[in-house]
Amino acid sequence: MTLNATVQHLSSLRIRGAALLLGAASLAMLTGCATQSTGSPDMVADLAPQAPATFANPAGLHVNPPTPDPRVGLAPGLFDAGEAIWNMRMLSTTPPEEPFVGQTNSDLAFTGNYAIQGNYDGIQVWDISDPANPVSVITYVCPASQSDVSVYDNLLFVSGEGFAGRLDCSGEGVQEAVSHHRLRGIRIFDISDIANPEYVANVQTCRGSHTHTVLKHPGDDDNVYIYVSGSAPVRPAEELAGCSGGMPDEDPNTALFRIEVIRVPLDNPQAAAVVSSPRIFQDLVAPPRHGPGPADIAAAEQAREQALATGGFVIEIQGEVQVLPDQFVTPMLDSIVAARGGEGPPTAADSTALREYVDEMVAQMMGAAGGGDGPAPGPTQCHDITVYPAIGLAGGACVGYGLLLDITDPVNPTRLQAVADSNFAIWHSATFNNDGTAILFTDEWGGGGAPKCRADDPVEWGANAIFTIEDGEMVFQSYYKLPAPQTSLENCVAHNGSLIPIPGRDIMIQGWYQGGISLIDWTDPANPVEIGFHDRGPSNATSQGPGGSWSVYWYNGVIVNSEIARGMDIFELVPSDILTQNEIDAANSVVLTQLNSQGQPIFEWPATFALARAYLDQLERWHGMTAPQIASARAALAAAEGASGSARRDGLRSLAATLDGQSAGASDPAKVATLIDAVQRLADAG
């Protein structure tokens, strides 16, 4: 059999091989972690030379972080690592329940008093009504990596992408290349009784669901929609009819270059089904990319030499050198032996055949093997999509591009703009600010499994990129990267986070894997700055072990961290000179009934004295009014709070009138206007 024929024979194993390869390399999103787009022209550019990275503090926000940084040099350990914390308080840290010890914890969703934590082997429900003492409600074993979770009302949605996940949730796995027992898509549970989830339906998709996003459209009360981002290789048509992994010029119905939209009828979730497959990547070409960093070049050369010296196999994925694990190599070599009708162990010629063609095979697995003389195609999938229904927009973090999407028609989202940046390796997730005037994208350089926060790693790589949204277009402003260097034993890169509803400010809590969690103020999008953190030392003293923050979100006054190996942490904010107790109290007045971070809610603050005082604190911090005016307003607020009935109303109305008279001469009249509104709402509330 010729080598080309052998490679064709090997392609029958590529689904299983790709899963093993990319799981070991922590790069599953690269394979997969029909309307022509309209709107403004796409921007495909290297952004950095046009807009240099900025890391200064917001004007007037004087931050004095601990010096030296206590995160540097923390002692290693899994459950006993050294810790550093600033401007937060840890309320609890809870190890995983026994079935999930040693397995990967993933994303979080919230409903009522419960935190739902995904795990590669299922879902964990915690009662966090007492955040100092979380209680396990149920550990539901149902393998199907990576088990991203979302909720709506009494429904729970769980992503499944792994090749071993079964429809029946059993742990025996799926060994066959084609199997009708395999689950790759979305599982749907009824959690009316959250201690006893009822598995009611599933929706299969051609590439599975690496992540998903639940969209409750304001104009549709009968359904919710799920945007599915599948990043694994396309499954065979024999396993799911209609699936094709061909390029568009070969098959216009290819499962590449699209997302899936699932409609879920709320009164009949069993009828959930794919209703459209929008091709939001239409006409995009391969974006510019940076090469490996200095430390990666040295490590790659060492790994290459060691692997080749021992007969190993090495590949390169977007500049990242990976040594193929034995689980991938052995079945491939065995298949070569079988293809030539041989017996016994592989020969040197078999190894040469695999070595010669392995890069081509990997390219095919990743859907990257193109053809023709034109430019290479752009991304074939998104990694994650964040919808903001209140403004009709979504941010698509789509591996090679950041997309701005119009979601006013939930079944047919359309691309408004696409931006690319050679400083970004993997556009991973997106977060809007509350008023929808800015968006922050994360870059999962290295796929989440590599140390990318070392002292000599470029600060623009593996960072956040912040854009303002101006007339429907994204305009680059700055980068933000975790400012504390991490060791080569710690996988560290930008990952998932959420806004905290501090009124008048854009403040976000964000996970950085083993870089810990970082509290970021990006009120000035050109000048983001860290204002708090928590970090642990490496989980292993001699090699890179599991651990770190997969995702960390604010929910009803607490900050919940999904720790990959160590379980779950819960924090609260503490006051400081850069974040007052009034600002924290105003944030905690926002009460949500449910939260999916990728289905971003609009924050609205009830009328409270804490809200008014928070605005006064900000006017004082940034010198928006004179000191006597601020002191007088504080005294008037205190007097009104101590009164009741008409006396309170009259006092507040009088204060609002006084502030209105002072606003024209204030240095920050817009902030004074928000204070006036808060005072007037207090008065109207009686």
PDB file of all heavy atoms in Angstrom, residues 120-146:
ATOM      1  N   TYR A 120     -15.947  17.698  33.795  1.00  0.00           N
ATOM      2  CA  TYR A 120     -15.824  16.837  32.619  1.00  0.00           C
ATOM      3  C   TYR A 120     -16.553  15.513  32.791  1.00  0.00           C
ATOM      4  O   TYR A 120     -16.837  14.822  31.813  1.00  0.00           O
ATOM      5  CB  TYR A 120     -14.355  16.584  32.312  1.00  0.00           C
ATOM      6  CG  TYR A 120     -13.726  17.651  31.434  1.00  0.00           C
ATOM      7  CD1 TYR A 120     -13.939  19.004  31.673  1.00  0.00           C
ATOM      8  CD2 TYR A 120     -12.929  17.304  30.369  1.00  0.00           C
ATOM      9  CE1 TYR A 120     -13.369  19.969  30.880  1.00  0.00           C
ATOM     10  CE2 TYR A 120     -12.350  18.270  29.554  1.00  0.00           C
ATOM     11  CZ  TYR A 120     -12.578  19.610  29.808  1.00  0.00           C
ATOM     12  OH  TYR A 120     -12.018  20.579  29.015  1.00  0.00           O
ATOM     13  N   ASP A 121     -16.869  15.164  34.033  1.00  0.00           N
ATOM     14  CA  ASP A 121     -17.607  13.926  34.283  1.00  0.00           C
ATOM     15  C   ASP A 121     -19.054  14.167  34.711  1.00  0.00           C
ATOM     16  O   ASP A 121     -19.728  13.231  35.130  1.00  0.00           O
ATOM     17  CB  ASP A 121     -16.897  13.077  35.346  1.00  0.00           C
ATOM     18  CG  ASP A 121     -15.858  12.151  34.732  1.00  0.00           C
ATOM     19  OD1 ASP A 121     -15.730  12.145  33.496  1.00  0.00           O
ATOM     20  OD2 ASP A 121     -15.164  11.450  35.482  1.00  0.00           O
ATOM     21  N   GLY A 122     -19.552  15.400  34.637  1.00  0.00           N
ATOM     22  CA  GLY A 122     -20.949  15.633  34.997  1.00  0.00           C
ATOM     23  C   GLY A 122     -21.180  17.022  35.542  1.00  0.00           C
ATOM     24  O   GLY A 122     -20.547  17.991  35.100  1.00  0.00           O
ATOM     25  N   ILE A 123     -22.084  17.137  36.509  1.00  0.00           N
ATOM     26  CA  ILE A 123     -22.433  18.429  37.098  1.00  0.00           C
ATOM     27  C   ILE A 123     -22.496  18.299  38.618  1.00  0.00           C
ATOM     28  O   ILE A 123     -22.870  17.262  39.156  1.00  0.00           O
ATOM     29  CB  ILE A 123     -23.773  18.973  36.556  1.00  0.00           C
ATOM     30  CG1 ILE A 123     -24.889  17.941  36.723  1.00  0.00           C
ATOM     31  CG2 ILE A 123     -23.646  19.427  35.128  1.00  0.00           C
ATOM     32  CD1 ILE A 123     -26.260  18.456  36.331  1.00  0.00           C
ATOM     33  N   GLN A 124     -22.115  19.373  39.276  1.00  0.00           N
ATOM     34  CA  GLN A 124     -22.165  19.457  40.735  1.00  0.00           C
ATOM     35  C   GLN A 124     -23.054  20.638  41.111  1.00  0.00           C
ATOM     36  O   GLN A 124     -22.855  21.746  40.604  1.00  0.00           O
ATOM     37  CB  GLN A 124     -20.766  19.670  41.306  1.00  0.00           C
ATOM     38  CG  GLN A 124     -20.720  19.950  42.804  1.00  0.00           C
ATOM     39  CD  GLN A 124     -21.135  18.732  43.617  1.00  0.00           C
ATOM     40  OE1 GLN A 124     -20.604  17.647  43.435  1.00  0.00           O
ATOM     41  NE2 GLN A 124     -22.094  18.919  44.510  1.00  0.00           N
ATOM     42  N   VAL A 125     -24.033  20.415  41.993  1.00  0.00           N
ATOM     43  CA  VAL A 125     -24.898  21.493  42.469  1.00  0.00           C
ATOM     44  C   VAL A 125     -24.543  21.792  43.916  1.00  0.00           C
ATOM     45  O   VAL A 125     -24.487  20.887  44.761  1.00  0.00           O
ATOM     46  CB  VAL A 125     -26.386  21.116  42.356  1.00  0.00           C
ATOM     47  CG1 VAL A 125     -27.262  22.245  42.891  1.00  0.00           C
ATOM     48  CG2 VAL A 125     -26.748  20.810  40.898  1.00  0.00           C
ATOM     49  N   TRP A 126     -24.294  23.085  44.197  1.00  0.00           N
ATOM     50  CA  TRP A 126     -23.983  23.543  45.546  1.00  0.00           C
ATOM     51  C   TRP A 126     -25.072  24.488  46.031  1.00  0.00           C
ATOM     52  O   TRP A 126     -25.526  25.363  45.277  1.00  0.00           O
ATOM     53  CB  TRP A 126     -22.665  24.309  45.576  1.00  0.00           C
ATOM     54  CG  TRP A 126     -21.452  23.574  45.092  1.00  0.00           C
ATOM     55  CD1 TRP A 126     -20.880  23.645  43.847  1.00  0.00           C
ATOM     56  CD2 TRP A 126     -20.647  22.659  45.845  1.00  0.00           C
ATOM     57  NE1 TRP A 126     -19.781  22.844  43.780  1.00  0.00           N
ATOM     58  CE2 TRP A 126     -19.603  22.220  44.995  1.00  0.00           C
ATOM     59  CE3 TRP A 126     -20.705  22.176  47.151  1.00  0.00           C
ATOM     60  CZ2 TRP A 126     -18.625  21.322  45.404  1.00  0.00           C
ATOM     61  CZ3 TRP A 126     -19.729  21.279  47.559  1.00  0.00           C
ATOM     62  CH2 TRP A 126     -18.705  20.859  46.704  1.00  0.00           C
ATOM     63  N   ASP A 127     -25.480  24.354  47.275  1.00  0.00           N
ATOM     64  CA  ASP A 127     -26.325  25.345  47.938  1.00  0.00           C
ATOM     65  C   ASP A 127     -25.388  26.366  48.566  1.00  0.00           C
ATOM     66  O   ASP A 127     -24.606  26.046  49.458  1.00  0.00           O
ATOM     67  CB  ASP A 127     -27.180  24.668  49.014  1.00  0.00           C
ATOM     68  CG  ASP A 127     -28.143  25.629  49.701  1.00  0.00           C
ATOM     69  OD1 ASP A 127     -27.879  26.851  49.699  1.00  0.00           O
ATOM     70  OD2 ASP A 127     -29.144  25.157  50.264  1.00  0.00           O
ATOM     71  N   ILE A 128     -25.436  27.609  48.071  1.00  0.00           N
ATOM     72  CA  ILE A 128     -24.533  28.651  48.570  1.00  0.00           C
ATOM     73  C   ILE A 128     -25.296  29.718  49.360  1.00  0.00           C
ATOM     74  O   ILE A 128     -24.839  30.852  49.476  1.00  0.00           O
ATOM     75  CB  ILE A 128     -23.737  29.292  47.422  1.00  0.00           C
ATOM     76  CG1 ILE A 128     -24.662  29.937  46.385  1.00  0.00           C
ATOM     77  CG2 ILE A 128     -22.820  28.260  46.762  1.00  0.00           C
ATOM     78  CD1 ILE A 128     -23.923  30.786  45.350  1.00  0.00           C
ATOM     79  N   SER A 129     -26.469  29.346  49.898  1.00  0.00           N
ATOM     80  CA  SER A 129     -27.231  30.317  50.679  1.00  0.00           C
ATOM     81  C   SER A 129     -26.429  30.800  51.884  1.00  0.00           C
ATOM     82  O   SER A 129     -26.574  31.938  52.320  1.00  0.00           O
ATOM     83  CB  SER A 129     -28.571  29.723  51.121  1.00  0.00           C
ATOM     84  OG  SER A 129     -28.391  28.484  51.775  1.00  0.00           O
ATOM     85  N   ASP A 130     -25.578  29.938  52.446  1.00  0.00           N
ATOM     86  CA  ASP A 130     -24.585  30.357  53.429  1.00  0.00           C
ATOM     87  C   ASP A 130     -23.233  30.240  52.742  1.00  0.00           C
ATOM     88  O   ASP A 130     -22.644  29.158  52.699  1.00  0.00           O
ATOM     89  CB  ASP A 130     -24.630  29.468  54.666  1.00  0.00           C
ATOM     90  CG  ASP A 130     -23.572  29.850  55.696  1.00  0.00           C
ATOM     91  OD1 ASP A 130     -22.812  30.810  55.450  1.00  0.00           O
ATOM     92  OD2 ASP A 130     -23.495  29.179  56.750  1.00  0.00           O
ATOM     93  N   PRO A 131     -22.710  31.329  52.175  1.00  0.00           N
ATOM     94  CA  PRO A 131     -21.489  31.220  51.364  1.00  0.00           C
ATOM     95  C   PRO A 131     -20.263  30.785  52.158  1.00  0.00           C
ATOM     96  O   PRO A 131     -19.284  30.327  51.558  1.00  0.00           O
ATOM     97  CB  PRO A 131     -21.312  32.627  50.791  1.00  0.00           C
ATOM     98  CG  PRO A 131     -22.098  33.520  51.686  1.00  0.00           C
ATOM     99  CD  PRO A 131     -23.244  32.700  52.194  1.00  0.00           C
ATOM    100  N   ALA A 132     -20.335  30.911  53.480  1.00  0.00           N
ATOM    101  CA  ALA A 132     -19.220  30.434  54.298  1.00  0.00           C
ATOM    102  C   ALA A 132     -19.253  28.921  54.473  1.00  0.00           C
ATOM    103  O   ALA A 132     -18.238  28.320  54.868  1.00  0.00           O
ATOM    104  CB  ALA A 132     -19.237  31.116  55.666  1.00  0.00           C
ATOM    105  N   ASN A 133     -20.391  28.308  54.145  1.00  0.00           N
ATOM    106  CA  ASN A 133     -20.539  26.859  54.323  1.00  0.00           C
ATOM    107  C   ASN A 133     -21.374  26.271  53.184  1.00  0.00           C
ATOM    108  O   ASN A 133     -22.522  25.869  53.391  1.00  0.00           O
ATOM    109  CB  ASN A 133     -21.203  26.549  55.672  1.00  0.00           C
ATOM    110  CG  ASN A 133     -20.349  26.969  56.847  1.00  0.00           C
ATOM    111  OD1 ASN A 133     -19.354  26.330  57.173  1.00  0.00           O
ATOM    112  ND2 ASN A 133     -20.747  28.071  57.498  1.00  0.00           N
ATOM    113  N   PRO A 134     -20.821  26.213  51.979  1.00  0.00           N
ATOM    114  CA  PRO A 134     -21.580  25.615  50.871  1.00  0.00           C
ATOM    115  C   PRO A 134     -21.899  24.149  51.154  1.00  0.00           C
ATOM    116  O   PRO A 134     -21.118  23.442  51.800  1.00  0.00           O
ATOM    117  CB  PRO A 134     -20.621  25.739  49.680  1.00  0.00           C
ATOM    118  CG  PRO A 134     -19.618  26.759  50.090  1.00  0.00           C
ATOM    119  CD  PRO A 134     -19.494  26.666  51.571  1.00  0.00           C
ATOM    120  N   VAL A 135     -23.055  23.722  50.670  1.00  0.00           N
ATOM    121  CA  VAL A 135     -23.503  22.354  50.903  1.00  0.00           C
ATOM    122  C   VAL A 135     -23.739  21.675  49.557  1.00  0.00           C
ATOM    123  O   VAL A 135     -24.410  22.228  48.679  1.00  0.00           O
ATOM    124  CB  VAL A 135     -24.795  22.327  51.741  1.00  0.00           C
ATOM    125  CG1 VAL A 135     -25.320  20.902  51.895  1.00  0.00           C
ATOM    126  CG2 VAL A 135     -24.561  22.968  53.108  1.00  0.00           C
ATOM    127  N   SER A 136     -23.193  20.486  49.405  1.00  0.00           N
ATOM    128  CA  SER A 136     -23.425  19.714  48.182  1.00  0.00           C
ATOM    129  C   SER A 136     -24.884  19.251  48.133  1.00  0.00           C
ATOM    130  O   SER A 136     -25.381  18.636  49.075  1.00  0.00           O
ATOM    131  CB  SER A 136     -22.491  18.508  48.129  1.00  0.00           C
ATOM    132  OG  SER A 136     -22.816  17.681  47.031  1.00  0.00           O
ATOM    133  N   VAL A 137     -25.562  19.564  47.037  1.00  0.00           N
ATOM    134  CA  VAL A 137     -26.948  19.147  46.843  1.00  0.00           C
ATOM    135  C   VAL A 137     -27.000  17.848  46.056  1.00  0.00           C
ATOM    136  O   VAL A 137     -27.714  16.917  46.414  1.00  0.00           O
ATOM    137  CB  VAL A 137     -27.741  20.252  46.119  1.00  0.00           C
ATOM    138  CG1 VAL A 137     -29.171  19.786  45.825  1.00  0.00           C
ATOM    139  CG2 VAL A 137     -27.749  21.531  46.943  1.00  0.00           C
ATOM    140  N   ILE A 138     -26.241  17.782  44.972  1.00  0.00           N
ATOM    141  CA  ILE A 138     -26.156  16.540  44.195  1.00  0.00           C
ATOM    142  C   ILE A 138     -24.885  16.561  43.365  1.00  0.00           C
ATOM    143  O   ILE A 138     -24.478  17.606  42.838  1.00  0.00           O
ATOM    144  CB  ILE A 138     -27.387  16.339  43.278  1.00  0.00           C
ATOM    145  CG1 ILE A 138     -27.301  14.978  42.573  1.00  0.00           C
ATOM    146  CG2 ILE A 138     -27.534  17.474  42.284  1.00  0.00           C
ATOM    147  CD1 ILE A 138     -28.556  14.586  41.812  1.00  0.00           C
ATOM    148  N   THR A 139     -24.236  15.417  43.282  1.00  0.00           N
ATOM    149  CA  THR A 139     -23.116  15.189  42.375  1.00  0.00           C
ATOM    150  C   THR A 139     -23.634  14.244  41.302  1.00  0.00           C
ATOM    151  O   THR A 139     -23.840  13.061  41.557  1.00  0.00           O
ATOM    152  CB  THR A 139     -21.919  14.573  43.121  1.00  0.00           C
ATOM    153  OG1 THR A 139     -21.569  15.416  44.220  1.00  0.00           O
ATOM    154  CG2 THR A 139     -20.734  14.413  42.192  1.00  0.00           C
ATOM    155  N   TYR A 140     -23.883  14.772  40.128  1.00  0.00           N
ATOM    156  CA  TYR A 140     -24.556  14.035  39.052  1.00  0.00           C
ATOM    157  C   TYR A 140     -23.506  13.608  38.033  1.00  0.00           C
ATOM    158  O   TYR A 140     -22.967  14.431  37.287  1.00  0.00           O
ATOM    159  CB  TYR A 140     -25.610  14.931  38.402  1.00  0.00           C
ATOM    160  CG  TYR A 140     -26.578  14.232  37.474  1.00  0.00           C
ATOM    161  CD1 TYR A 140     -27.871  13.939  37.887  1.00  0.00           C
ATOM    162  CD2 TYR A 140     -26.199  13.873  36.185  1.00  0.00           C
ATOM    163  CE1 TYR A 140     -28.771  13.310  37.031  1.00  0.00           C
ATOM    164  CE2 TYR A 140     -27.078  13.246  35.325  1.00  0.00           C
ATOM    165  CZ  TYR A 140     -28.366  12.961  35.753  1.00  0.00           C
ATOM    166  OH  TYR A 140     -29.256  12.334  34.901  1.00  0.00           O
ATOM    167  N   VAL A 141     -23.193  12.336  38.018  1.00  0.00           N
ATOM    168  CA  VAL A 141     -22.171  11.815  37.117  1.00  0.00           C
ATOM    169  C   VAL A 141     -22.780  11.580  35.740  1.00  0.00           C
ATOM    170  O   VAL A 141     -23.750  10.840  35.594  1.00  0.00           O
ATOM    171  CB  VAL A 141     -21.558  10.515  37.672  1.00  0.00           C
ATOM    172  CG1 VAL A 141     -20.560   9.925  36.681  1.00  0.00           C
ATOM    173  CG2 VAL A 141     -20.884  10.779  39.019  1.00  0.00           C
ATOM    174  N   CYS A 142     -22.195  12.246  34.730  1.00  0.00           N
ATOM    175  CA  CYS A 142     -22.697  12.142  33.355  1.00  0.00           C
ATOM    176  C   CYS A 142     -21.580  12.626  32.431  1.00  0.00           C
ATOM    177  O   CYS A 142     -21.576  13.775  31.991  1.00  0.00           O
ATOM    178  CB  CYS A 142     -23.959  12.993  33.190  1.00  0.00           C
ATOM    179  SG  CYS A 142     -24.760  12.840  31.573  1.00  0.00           S
ATOM    180  N   PRO A 143     -20.587  11.789  32.158  1.00  0.00           N
ATOM    181  CA  PRO A 143     -19.406  12.233  31.408  1.00  0.00           C
ATOM    182  C   PRO A 143     -19.749  12.735  30.013  1.00  0.00           C
ATOM    183  O   PRO A 143     -20.561  12.147  29.310  1.00  0.00           O
ATOM    184  CB  PRO A 143     -18.544  10.973  31.342  1.00  0.00           C
ATOM    185  CG  PRO A 143     -19.022  10.107  32.467  1.00  0.00           C
ATOM    186  CD  PRO A 143     -20.486  10.375  32.567  1.00  0.00           C
ATOM    187  N   ALA A 144     -19.100  13.826  29.637  1.00  0.00           N
ATOM    188  CA  ALA A 144     -19.200  14.383  28.274  1.00  0.00           C
ATOM    189  C   ALA A 144     -18.499  15.726  28.260  1.00  0.00           C
ATOM    190  O   ALA A 144     -19.158  16.753  28.277  1.00  0.00           O
ATOM    191  CB  ALA A 144     -20.647  14.529  27.820  1.00  0.00           C
ATOM    192  N   SER A 145     -17.188  15.713  28.233  1.00  0.00           N
ATOM    193  CA  SER A 145     -16.448  16.970  28.329  1.00  0.00           C
ATOM    194  C   SER A 145     -17.041  18.008  27.377  1.00  0.00           C
ATOM    195  O   SER A 145     -17.485  17.652  26.296  1.00  0.00           O
ATOM    196  CB  SER A 145     -14.984  16.727  27.998  1.00  0.00           C
ATOM    197  OG  SER A 145     -14.825  16.341  26.640  1.00  0.00           O
ATOM    198  N   GLN A 146     -17.107  19.336  27.714  1.00  0.00           N
ATOM    199  CA  GLN A 146     -16.548  19.773  28.961  1.00  0.00           C
ATOM    200  C   GLN A 146     -17.627  20.205  29.957  1.00  0.00           C
ATOM    201  O   GLN A 146     -17.378  20.833  30.963  1.00  0.00           O
ATOM    202  CB  GLN A 146     -15.577  20.922  28.727  1.00  0.00           C
ATOM    203  CG  GLN A 146     -16.146  22.097  28.000  1.00  0.00           C
ATOM    204  CD  GLN A 146     -15.100  23.147  27.625  1.00  0.00           C
ATOM    205  OE1 GLN A 146     -13.911  22.942  27.677  1.00  0.00           O
ATOM    206  NE2 GLN A 146     -15.581  24.311  27.266  1.00  0.00           N
TER     207      GLN A 146
END
